[in-house]
Amino acid sequence: MSETRFKALKDLPAQHLLLPGTPMCPGCGGLEVVKQVYDVLGENTVFVNAAGCLTLLATYPFTPFRGSWIYTAMASAPAGAQGIRDALDILIAKGRLPPAQNLDVVVLSGDGAAYGMGLGPTSAAIDRGLDFYYLCYDNEGYGNTGQQTSAATPAGARTATDHGPVGFAGEKKDLFSIWVAHHPPYVATITSADPVDLARKVETARGHAGPKLFIALAQCPTGWHYDPKDTVQMGRLAVATGIWPLKAYAGGRVTHTRRPKPKGERPPVEEYLRAQGRFDHLFSPTRNEEALARIQARVDAYWDAAE
Amino acid sequence: MTRTLLTGNAAAAWGARLAEADYVPAFPITPQTEIIELLAEWMQRGAMAGRIVMLESEHSMLTAAGAAAATGVRVFTATSSQGLLYAMEMLYTVAGWRVPLVLVNVSRGLAAPITLEPDHNDVLAVRDSGFLQFHCATCQEALDGVLLAYRLAEDARVRLPVMVNMDGFYLSFTREPVRLPEPEQVRRFLPPFDPETLYFRAGAPRSQGVAVLGGAQYSYFRYEAHLASLGALRVFEEAAAEFARLFGRSYAPLETFHTADAEFAFVMLGAFATKAKQAVLRLREAGWRIGLVRPRLLRPFPAQALVEALGGLRGIAVIDQNLSTGMGGVLCSEIGAALLRAGARPVVAGYVGGLGGRDIPVEEFFEMARETKAAAEAGRCPPTRLLYTEEELRQTRALQAIAMAE
Ligand SMILES: Cc1ncc(C[n+]2csc(CCOP(=O)(O)OP(=O)(O)O)c2C)c(N)n1
Ligand code: SF4
Ligand SMILES: [Mg+2]
């Protein structure tokens, strides 16, 4: 990790490659992640998109990408990446494409696709050792359709399909571990609130052939109910409270690239939850001590177990 | 040109091999498996310079197929029945991408109840997807159909994917003598794929399959595909004429059999039309002026050719090997509409038969001919009949009794 060209904020590209003027909501965390990842990967890329909010990035006849793009469907973007990768390899092998015109293939999907409908296709793409990047922007719900509960929705969150007093009664699925269980060359979690960590991880991934997968926290003012100006703050809180661990898997090992302060010293998860309307019902009209304690206990247990 | 005995599946695989397909995303399903196994074997021992990749589903298979074609390689794939429906979303999608891939569908009845035997509900369920459809009745046609399909799909005036359909078991597993064209001849008929605007490469950014906002843009692209499909009729005729010159085999959008002097005709798709041909010969021996019309192209719909072939007859019996539940046969209503629009009024008798591979014996063709004649004399189209015998009902009831028994 240490030998990437990104050591501090000043090493990051000063200008973004992604062009402005997209129809995303103000403060969209998913868009911010794409911007930062794009700066590292560059324009010699083809984004293979699954249905979600970011599908509207390219609406005929406009695109903010300087490189290429194809929208596939909700479930099968990894298979689209397979088709493009194979076709590029075939064209190069048969002398119909100069190797210098090769592209990196990048799947761009939301959590709904990554954790649910698209999980089988992703698993299969990893099985096949497909040389591609997978960028999941995780806004913890089916955002494009109005933030219904997805397999990435965290415990206690109110969504368009979980209105009850406890919000979503289940737990967020551990997609990182599921991906890691396939033993691909590289898996990492990222957040746009820590651009150096993000850039270093994407840069590190570039050194690996095969599947390179990222889960990015995608703060979503519209679905999470907070002021768009607080998007960066929301990302920082997620890391500081320990609810969004920043980690990477490579060479058979998981390493945490940022550690929150020890238990007792780090801010309670409550600070992150209270900042978002989707957790309001845990605080008013009465505090749901039991739910809050359970969420905190899970975060603490995670870090107790983390080496 | 060498002559050899091939199954319908092997003939289709030879079509892909002679077309020099670059890429074959695959997923197995009976009765299609022989096609992808053969291609895998050829590619792996270097007899064919292509790459086959096993996907995890037909939905992904079609996605990979479309994406590869959108990157500029010649793509072949094949499926059947449940697989075709599993891929449904992507059939529409890749047709919308306007990519010229070729898909062989080996028709098989749809669950439930699950069966392995053929009928055409699978291929007709995707009738409106934007894929052109070429329906085969012989193994030779399966091979030639794949070559014609590539010519059609890749023509700059068309640029739509093409489905080549053959009946499971009756064609897929039946060995017939097939003429294998010489590769150089095929190259003359089908030059290397020129992907034109279909590419992804560094230095030439390209967006494909992007979203549109609003009905006017959406309609524009949908209409474009429709008009390209309609235009494919002429392109098909041109390609078929060249095919006939090079290979000596003619493929009109419709196959007609003894229709020149006919008063009546059967209309059928696919391999079961061979049964109708036998019946036509027997009926002619018995003094009937009857023939057969078998559409090879179903999309684009050869309406004018159908009207020309059928419009002047006294009566036609459309035998649908499919069932649109609650309506009847799909082909019957399409042909009825074409005749009505043309102001041609032969009496149209609709039959549903051959579902799940159920046989249609020659006596039933005689019965259908008699009924159609009676309807023509009465000047009234009869309601759709479902072909089934007393004996079949008795046997099924006997099985039911066993199923119900404690
Ligand atoms: C097969 C299919 N089912 C449902 C939809 C409707 N749909 C479009 S986007 C979307 C939500 C996707 O959620 P996610 O992947 O989390 O992306 P987000 O919308 O949050 O950006 C859904 C359900 C679809 N496009 N395709
Ligand atoms: S709903 Fe959320 S993820 Fe979707 S565009 Fe708006 S802010 Fe971004
Ligand atoms: Mg989402």
Side-chain angles (χ1 to χ4, degrees), chain B residues 40-383:
Chain B
E41 190 199 318
W42 290 336
M43 288 177 180
Q44 283 154 16
R45 68 177 163 77
M48 185 177 170
R51 180 178 301 189
I52 182 163
V53 174
M54 294 302 292
L55 274 293
E56 73 286 358
S57 77
E58 292 85 355
H59 185 277
S60 282
M61 176 182 96
L62 255 294
T63 311
T71 311
V73 296
R74 186 173 280 162
V75 179
F76 176 84
T77 189
T79 187
S80 175
S81 181
Q82 308 302 126
L84 191 68
L85 264 66
Y86 201 77
M88 177 71 119
E89 179 188 29
M90 297 319 294
L91 295 175
Y92 274 75
T93 301
V94 304
W97 291 351
R98 305 291 303 272
V99 289
L101 59 92
V102 172
L103 181 154
V104 167
N105 183 59
V106 188
S107 264
R108 163 180 154 188
L110 292 168
I114 187 120
T115 182
L116 296 177
E117 296 216 40
D119 66 42
H120 298 150
N121 259 92
D122 57 357
V123 65
L124 291 174
V126 304
R127 179 189 66 173
D128 305 329
S129 63
F131 272 68
L132 310 186
Q133 289 196 6
F134 182 89
H135 288 249
C136 307
T138 67
C139 295
Q140 184 73 58
E141 231 172 31
L143 189 160
D144 294 347
V146 170
L147 301 179
L148 281 161
Y150 277 109
R151 254 295 284 265
L152 197 56
E154 292 174 5
D155 191 288
R157 294 164 289 178
V158 180
R159 287 290 152 141
L160 283 166
V162 182
M163 198 169 291
V164 175
N165 199 69
M166 77 169 110
D167 300 76
F169 289 80
Y170 290 85
L171 201 52
S172 68
F173 296 154
T174 300
R175 256 170 231 281
E176 291 177 348
V178 172
R179 288 180 190 281
L180 287 181
E182 294 304 323
E184 307 82 66
Q185 288 273 84
V186 174
R187 276 184 213 117
R188 225 182 310 156
F189 175 71
L190 184 68
F193 175 37
D194 174 7
E196 295 185 325
T197 57
L198 297 170
Y199 61 80
F200 286 117
R201 60 170 170 266
R206 180 131 198 98
S207 299
Q208 299 194 54
V210 297
V212 295
L213 294 176
Q217 290 178 34
Y218 181 78
S219 300
Y220 174 84
F221 290 111
R222 299 282 291 150
Y223 290 167
E224 279 272 290
H226 173 63
L227 296 173
S229 181
L230 290 180
L233 258 181
R234 252 213 25 227
V235 179
F236 178 81
E237 278 166 0
E238 285 170 27
E242 195 183 328
F243 193 93
R245 260 199 313 281
L246 282 167
F247 303 106
R249 291 184 293 279
S250 301
Y251 293 106
L254 301 182
E255 182 191 17
T256 51
F257 183 72
H258 287 289
T259 49
D261 66 339
E263 295 178 295
F264 300 98
F266 297 114
V267 185
M268 282 189 89
L269 284 174
F272 270 40
T274 314
K275 296 175 189 286
K277 280 189 180 173
Q278 294 311 313
V280 163
L281 295 176
R282 296 272 300 275
L283 280 158
R284 286 199 159 252
E285 280 167 21
W288 284 76
R289 282 160 58 190
I290 192 162
L292 164 78
V293 170
R294 178 177 69 87
R296 290 192 178 96
L297 269 190
L298 194 68
R299 286 294 180 274
F301 189 63
Q304 198 188 328
L306 280 163
V307 169
E308 279 163 20
L310 302 170
L313 304 187
R314 290 178 59 200
I316 62 176
V318 183
I319 306 165
D320 267 290
Q321 212 179 339
N322 67 79
L323 179 56
S324 173
T325 317
M327 191 280 285
V330 172
L331 192 59
C332 185
S333 55
E334 294 210 337
I335 287 173
L339 292 170
L340 188 69
R341 286 170 147 204
R345 293 292 179 82
V347 159
V348 179
Y351 296 90
V352 171
L355 298 190
R358 179 199 177 271
D359 190 26
I360 308 178
V362 71
E363 308 82 64
E364 292 186 8
F365 284 99
F366 269 76
E367 175 73 9
M368 290 187 275
R370 277 194 296 272
E371 277 186 2
T372 306
K373 187 171 180 213
E377 276 156 8
R380 255 199 311 273
C381 298

Side-chain angles (χ1 to χ4, degrees), chain A residues 44 58-60 66-73 76 79-80 83-84 86-88 90-91 94 96 101-103 121 124 128, chain B residues 22-23 49 51 53-56 59-60 63-64 67-68 71 90 97 200-202 205-211 217 221:
Chain A
N44 288 340
T59 33
Y60 188 80
R66 292 169 203 265
S68 294
W69 166 277
I70 188 168
Y71 165 68
T72 53
S76 58
I84 295 176
D86 287 338
L88 289 170
I90 289 166
L91 290 172
K94 292 190 174 179
R96 280 144 61 190
Q101 290 182 8
N102 196 7
L103 294 175
R128 293 187 297 261
Chain B
D22 294 304
Y23 186 51
R51 180 178 301 189
V53 174
M54 294 302 292
L55 274 293
E56 73 286 358
H59 185 277
S60 282
T63 311
T71 311
M90 297 319 294
W97 291 351
F200 286 117
R201 60 170 170 266
R206 180 131 198 98
S207 299
Q208 299 194 54
V210 297
Q217 290 178 34
F221 290 111

Side-chain angles (χ1 to χ4, degrees), chain A residues 27-43:
Chain A
C28 175
L31 180 61
E32 189 52 37
V33 163
V34 172
K35 254 186 216 164
Q36 295 185 12
V37 170
Y38 200 39
D39 283 338
V40 183
L41 289 180
E43 60 191 46

Side-chain angles (χ1 to χ4, degrees), chain A residues 52-53 109-113 137-144 147-148 150 152 218:
Chain A
C53 281
S109 96
D111 52 284
Y137 62 96
D138 184 355
N139 62 5
E140 308 192 316
Y142 297 114
N144 184 248
Q147 198 69 6
Q148 298 81 11
S150 80

